[in-house]
Amino acid sequence: RKVTELAPLQPEGFSSLGGALLAAENEAEAEKALRRSLELRETLVALNNLGALLRYQHRDAEAAQVFARSIAIDGKDTMLRMNLANVLQRLGKKAEARVHFEQAGELTRAALLRNVIADRAAQHGVAHLKGIEQRLDCRRFVGGDLNFALDAGQSLTPARAAELMAD
C-alpha cells in the first residue's frame, strides 16, 4: 500500500498490491487495486490477475472480456490463451474456446521446439540459431516434415532443423 501512496500514478504498484491481495483472498480490495492499475495503464499482469479473480468468482462473461483484452496486447502468451479458452468453455462457447485451445497448443509446441533447437545448438556449437528460429517462427509449425519429425520422436539437430526449414 505504501508504494501506491508514494507513486499513485504508477500502475505497477496497484498491480502488485492487487496480486498480493488476491493471494491473501481479499478479493474486493484486490479487484479495486487491479482496476485502478488498469485505469492507469493496461498491463498483462493486471489483466491476467483481474481475469483470474473474475473467473474464481464465476463472473465468466467479465473474465472473458478481460482475457480478450490481454490477448489483444500479447496474442502469443499461452497462459492468457488457455485462460480465455477455459472461461469461454464454461460460458458454453465451445467453438471459440477450441480456437484458443488450439492456438495455445501451437504456441506451446513452438516454444518447445525452440527449446529443443537451442539445446541442440548449445551441444553442437551452432552459431546461427537466430536465423533458424526466425524461419521456424515464419512456418508457425503447422504441418510439414518438421512436425512429422517431432511427432515421430526423431532426433532434431540444428542442421536437420535448418534443412527442414529450407524446404
Side-chain angles (χ1 to χ4, degrees), residues 31-158:
E31 184 173 351
K32 286 180 191 174
L34 292 167
R35 288 194 186 279
R36 177 64 183 137
S37 175
L38 293 169
E39 286 173 9
L40 295 169
R41 185 176 72 238
E42 289 201 348
T43 64
L44 292 176
V45 172
L47 286 166
N48 187 59
N49 283 341
L50 179 59
L53 170 65
L54 295 170
R55 192 168 159 228
Y56 297 147
Q57 294 176 337
H58 297 280
R59 294 162 59 189
D60 295 332
E62 289 177 83
Q65 291 175 350
V66 170
F67 287 132
R69 284 170 38 202
S70 68
I71 288 174
I73 294 172
D74 183 1
K76 292 186 177 185
D77 188 305
T78 302
M79 180 181 64
L80 297 174
R81 289 232 176 247
M82 289 297 293
N83 286 340
L84 178 57
N86 283 318
V87 81
L88 288 170
Q89 187 168 3
R90 271 197 353 200
L91 288 168
K93 298 180 178 184
K94 295 182 193 272
E96 286 180 64
R98 182 183 174 113
V99 168
H100 291 287
F101 279 129
E102 288 173 354
Q103 289 173 345
E106 286 179 22
L107 291 167
T108 300
R109 184 181 193 86
L112 181 62
L113 185 55
R114 280 193 299 275
N115 289 341
V116 168
I117 290 172
D119 182 55
R120 295 288 188 251
Q123 289 176 9
H124 299 285
V126 174
H128 301 291
L129 177 62
K130 195 71 172 168
I132 293 170
E133 266 192 329
Q134 288 171 347
R135 286 192 298 277
L136 289 172
D137 285 341
C138 290
R139 288 271 301 261
R140 295 192 41 84
F141 312 99
V142 178
D145 292 335
L146 187 54
N147 280 338
F148 177 78
L150 289 175
D151 291 340
Q154 296 175 5
S155 176
L156 183 65
T157 65

